Amino acid sequence: MLKVLNFATLIMLLFVNTTIAQKGWFVVTSQGDRLAWVEADELSPAGDLIKIKKNGKYGLMDQNGNIKIKPRYKDIKGYSNGLACVKASNGKYGFTTEKGFFPIEAIYNDATNFSAEGIAAVSNRGEWGFIDRLGKLLIDYKYADATPFRNGHSIVRKTMSKTVGMINTNEQFVVRPDTYLQLYFPKDGMIAARKQGSGKWGFVNTSGKLAIEPQYEKVTSFGDGHALAKADARYAVIDKQGREVAPAMFEDAKVDGYNDGLAAARYDGKWGFINTKGEVVVDFQYDDVSSFSDGKAAVLMDGYWGYIDTYGELVIIPEFEQAGPFYRMNGRSIALAKEGDMPPPIEEDDEEIGFMDEEASIVDEVDENWQDEEEEDEEDNEETYEEEVFEEEEIAELEESPKPQWGEDEEKDDEEYQEPPKERPTIFSSRPGKGKGKGKGKGKGKLGKGKGKRPSTTTTAAPANNSSSDSRAELKFVKALHDIEESINDSRLAYTSSLIYINEGHESGDIATFSRNAKSARADMNKALDAMEKSARDLDKLAKNPPMNCLGMNKLFKTAMPDIMSARKSLQAASEHLDEAFSRVSHKAMGDSLNRTSGKLNDTESTLTELHDLVERCLTK
């Protein structure tokens, strides 16, 4: 019995470990895209690269998840200009390249990463000094503590002293090291300083002169000419003269203060954001927040972290267990976020995926009729039915009209050419519109009924005075347009079917169900991509070698080609989001991409209609 229990316990531990190992970290862009997913214990900014911790060891990777230095070091302080500050196997710190070469040997008891100024703080024999990128000592070992330089300043503490000071890169004291117990780095021309003795906070300017007397229990850094300062258990908003702009009413505030014109503050137990006048811009509704950076702030809701913009709008849905601030790396805005558990099923009234729900419902209606293409839909409204009857009568009249007299060869071609099959229902029985996107799509809203009429696949009889070659050219042209539209419709049907599978898996809230559906969705998405590729290839071929030429035709081709190429690009983007569509962000991104695809295809088909009309006008002149 004991052995059975031990075996069951072992299986349970293996399952738990496997489950834990499956969690990882994302590199997220400000648009919510995921540049990389990495299975790791920890990710953190490290200068020009990202520090990764795995199995207790540290390495470095780029923003796309490419490992630059494998996790093998006991510690890494950062990476700058080709050099990583690492703790080597001898227990000392040095600076190495990605290849493992140490141009600056591991001889320091401690060290910091190189700053933008090309200076690193290093510790030896219990004292700190500063070196350049060649390892040359710039500032001698004389400080008990020292920070890396930031914007040309470092906070230092002399040996046998409790107070700190601030130096510039020339080792000149901006703030003398004999008055303050704590300093913040300069921001907005002001340095927050806590005075020895009273323990109160005030502000010094970057010339070292006292700007606001130490009188506060706590303060934030300045930003946009304002800071928050705590007196009498509440925070007030103050300006650079120390004047109170908004009364002391906030319970807490983030140390970074104002960024992008907003500061994080807590009121009645919830966090929100206020402007420099103390007015509430983002309601107090979050369990926790970060300060704004790069126009985004992380917010905690119902146990998950997401991101909002300066208007308080959610730009990345809360779904992360942890979420860091956005920062610039190699010119791109990114954040590091740890994935959480799978979010709960999305409610039917969730506006953010309304496009996908609406499109899926339309396809469900079409599926009921798909197996029997000849059967009329008895539930069509009267207006649609009358329109179909009108089209049939019009076609009948055209078939009864006199046909041109062709020669023997032309008759042979006519026999070989078969009338295109009756138009089958597309995934949109009413042509979807473009939604909010720019362009010439004629639909209403995201899935409004399209106004553009599909070009007729029935050949219109040419006047008797037209040449037989013109008639045959028209026939080939119309057939080519028809084939292109058929490929477009095949793509629409396949990618919408893929979306239905993903919606069903997402709504189930079960990762196993999602995994099964995702396989079917991938197969349909591949079909959609193939059909889209065929339609783009055929349109390009037709544009380069049209069976006939009419004035204005080249212009229409030049309009259609960018539209269909853009549709193909949007469909590819949807395909890339499919694999991670269990997350709300990727789920929504997939729908958005398919909405753009639909809009561009509407534009393409509208242009194809114009091409068909142009050919008819050309032949009747």
Side-chain angles (χ1 to χ4, degrees):
M1 181 66 177
L2 184 60
K3 289 182 179 179
V4 173
L5 288 174
N6 288 338
F7 179 74
T9 303
L10 178 61
I11 294 297
M12 185 176 296
L13 288 173
L14 287 173
F15 175 77
V16 170
N17 289 336
T18 302
T19 304
I20 294 174
Q22 288 175 344
K23 281 194 176 182
W25 287 75
F26 292 104
V27 180
V28 186
T29 70
S30 54
Q31 290 76 37
D33 296 323
R34 284 104 185 279
L35 295 180
W37 177 88
V38 182
E39 187 177 332
D41 304 325
E42 214 175 278
L43 289 187
S44 57
D48 297 337
L49 292 175
I50 298 168
K51 181 163 70 172
I52 174 174
K53 181 182 180 182
K54 195 169 184 179
N55 299 324
K57 299 290 186 180
Y58 293 90
L60 292 169
M61 70 177 206
D62 64 17
Q63 60 189 7
N64 296 313
N66 301 312
I67 299 297
K68 297 299 182 180
I69 295 179
K70 291 182 179 180
R72 62 175 180 267
Y73 292 106
K74 296 180 179 179
D75 190 20
I76 293 181
K77 294 296 182 71
Y79 182 91
S80 176
N81 294 101
L83 291 176
C85 178
V86 303
K87 189 174 185 179
S89 57
N90 63 358
K92 300 284 187 177
Y93 284 86
F95 296 84
T96 181
T97 65
E98 294 178 17
K99 302 294 185 182
F101 170 67
F102 280 81
I104 301 176
E105 293 183 78
I107 59 175
Y108 306 106
N109 294 329
D110 204 350
T112 71
N113 191 34
F114 277 105
S115 66
E117 295 83 6
I119 302 174
V122 292
S123 172
N124 219 344
R125 301 186 302 275
E127 293 181 316
W128 286 82
F130 296 86
I131 61 172
D132 64 15
R133 290 195 180 99
L134 298 177
K136 179 182 177 182
L137 192 65
L138 297 177
I139 299 175
D140 201 6
Y141 300 104
K142 63 175 72 172
Y143 299 109
D145 284 304
T147 69
F149 272 92
R150 184 189 300 177
N151 296 326
H153 297 87
S154 173
I155 300 171
V156 297
R157 182 173 65 85
K158 287 189 173 183
T159 57
M160 306 300 291
S161 174
K162 292 184 178 180
T163 57
V164 297
M166 185 176 291
I167 61 173
N168 59 24
T169 54
N170 295 321
E171 204 187 356
Q172 296 170 331
F173 277 98
V174 176
V175 179
R176 298 294 305 173
D178 51 14
T179 305
Y180 301 104
L181 296 171
Q182 193 174 351
L183 297 172
Y184 291 169
F185 279 102
K187 187 181 173 193
D188 201 15
M190 301 285 274
I191 302 167
R194 186 164 72 94
K195 191 174 182 180
Q196 185 181 26
S198 68
K200 298 290 186 180
W201 285 88
F203 290 89
V204 178
N205 61 30
T206 50
S207 298
K209 295 180 180 180
L210 186 65
I212 300 175
E213 285 285 343
Q215 56 188 293
Y216 304 107
E217 295 175 26
K218 290 182 179 180
V219 296
T220 71
S221 293
F222 263 88
D224 299 303
H226 295 79
L228 284 91
K230 184 179 182 181
D232 300 326
R234 295 272 174 167
Y235 281 84
V237 179
I238 62 172
D239 62 17
K240 288 188 175 182
Q241 286 71 46
R243 295 175 300 205
E244 193 173 278
V245 176
M249 59 181 292
F250 305 107
E251 299 164 358
D252 202 355
K254 296 296 181 180
V255 172
D256 204 31
Y258 282 94
N259 294 284
D260 298 320
L262 298 176
R266 190 178 71 191
Y267 181 78
D268 198 20
K270 292 291 185 179
W271 287 89
F273 292 87
I274 58 174
N275 62 19
T276 54
K277 296 178 181 179
E279 299 168 337
V280 179
V281 176
V282 180
D283 289 338
F284 300 103
Q285 58 183 306
Y286 302 110
D287 300 321
D288 200 1
V289 298
S290 72
S291 296
F292 271 94
S293 59
D294 248 1
K296 307 291 185 297
V299 295
L300 179 64
M301 295 178 67
D302 301 324
Y304 290 98
W305 285 90
Y307 293 89
I308 62 172
D309 61 19
T310 53
Y311 298 99
E313 298 292 331
L314 276 171
V315 291
I316 300 178
I317 302 298
E319 60 176 332
F320 302 111
E321 186 177 306
Q322 298 178 37
F326 275 93
Y327 69 100
R328 289 274 165 178
M329 192 176 97
N330 300 324
R332 188 164 194 175
S333 180
I334 63 168
L336 308 176
K338 185 178 182 180
E339 68 175 324
D341 297 324
M342 184 176 178
I346 293 180
E347 301 296 333
E348 291 182 1
D349 60 351
D350 192 333
E351 295 180 0
E352 297 190 33
I353 60 165
F355 156 72
M356 295 186 284
D357 287 339
E358 189 175 356
E359 179 169 284
S361 66
I362 290 174
V363 178
D364 287 340
E365 294 175 5
V366 173
D367 282 342
E368 295 176 2
N369 304 323
W370 181 252
Q371 294 179 354
D372 188 1
E373 296 180 0
E374 301 298 327
E375 182 180 349
E376 291 184 354
D377 188 349
E378 295 179 355
E379 295 179 1
D380 279 351
N381 58 46
E382 184 176 349
E383 180 181 352
T384 305
Y385 176 78
E386 291 176 354
E387 186 176 321
E388 289 178 354
V389 170
F390 173 79
E391 289 181 358
E392 289 176 0
E393 291 175 352
E394 184 182 33
I395 291 171
E397 290 178 3
L398 290 174
E399 289 176 346
E400 292 173 1
S401 63
K403 294 186 179 180
Q405 299 299 315
W406 292 337
E408 185 177 351
D409 293 337
E410 285 79 5
E411 290 179 354
K412 183 178 181 180
D413 288 340
D414 187 33
E415 292 173 0
E416 291 176 355
Y417 173 76
Q418 297 179 357
E419 189 73 18
K422 184 178 179 180
E423 183 177 1
R424 66 181 181 183
T426 67
I427 63 169
F428 301 110
S429 52
S430 295
R431 191 68 54 80
K434 270 183 64 72
K436 298 179 181 179
K438 296 179 180 180
K440 62 182 191 305
K442 299 180 181 180
K444 297 179 181 178
K446 288 185 177 179
L447 287 170
K449 184 175 180 180
K451 296 180 181 179
K453 187 177 179 182
R454 179 170 178 155
S456 171
T457 56
T458 304
T459 305
T460 304
N465 60 348
N466 276 11
S467 69
S468 60
S469 60
D470 284 343
S471 300
R472 185 166 53 181
E474 180 200 11
L475 198 66
K476 290 181 179 180
F477 204 105
V478 171
K479 184 179 185 301
L481 292 179
H482 171 76
D483 290 341
I484 292 168
E485 283 207 337
E486 283 297 291
S487 296
I488 289 175
N489 286 332
D490 289 341
S491 182
R492 283 189 192 268
L493 183 65
Y495 74 60
T496 310
S497 175
S498 176
L499 183 58
I500 292 174
Y501 279 117
I502 290 300
N503 283 350
E504 290 174 350
H506 206 282
E507 290 167 1
S508 72
D510 176 39
I511 193 67
T513 302
F514 181 90
S515 180
R516 287 195 301 270
N517 281 24
K519 292 181 180 178
S520 299
R522 170 54 62 193
D524 282 337
M525 184 61 77
N526 289 341
K527 291 178 183 177
L529 289 169
D530 290 342
M532 182 69 76
E533 182 67 29
K534 182 180 185 303
S535 61
R537 187 170 58 248
D538 290 348
L539 182 60
D540 181 62
K541 182 179 179 181
L542 184 62
K544 290 178 178 177
N545 188 26
M548 60 183 301
N549 287 292
C550 297
L551 185 64
M553 186 177 291
N554 287 339
K555 182 179 179 181
L556 291 176
F557 276 125
K558 288 180 179 179
T559 300
M561 282 308 302
D563 285 338
I564 199 165
M565 295 304 291
S566 180
R568 186 174 64 173
K569 183 178 179 181
S570 297
L571 184 59
Q572 183 61 50
S575 175
E576 292 170 359
H577 285 294
L578 189 151
D579 291 336
E580 295 176 353
F582 59 85
S583 77
R584 292 193 178 201
V585 171
S586 292
H587 190 194
K588 180 180 182 298
M590 180 180 173
D592 290 342
S593 295
L594 291 184
N595 191 39
R596 289 191 295 271
T597 302
S598 177
K600 286 299 180 182
L601 289 182
N602 292 339
D603 289 347
T604 303
E605 292 185 327
S606 177
T607 306
L608 296 183
T609 301
E610 292 182 45
L611 276 167
H612 184 273
D613 294 340
L614 177 66
V615 170
E616 290 186 340
R617 290 196 303 271
C618 183
L619 290 174
T620 55
K621 284 185 180 180

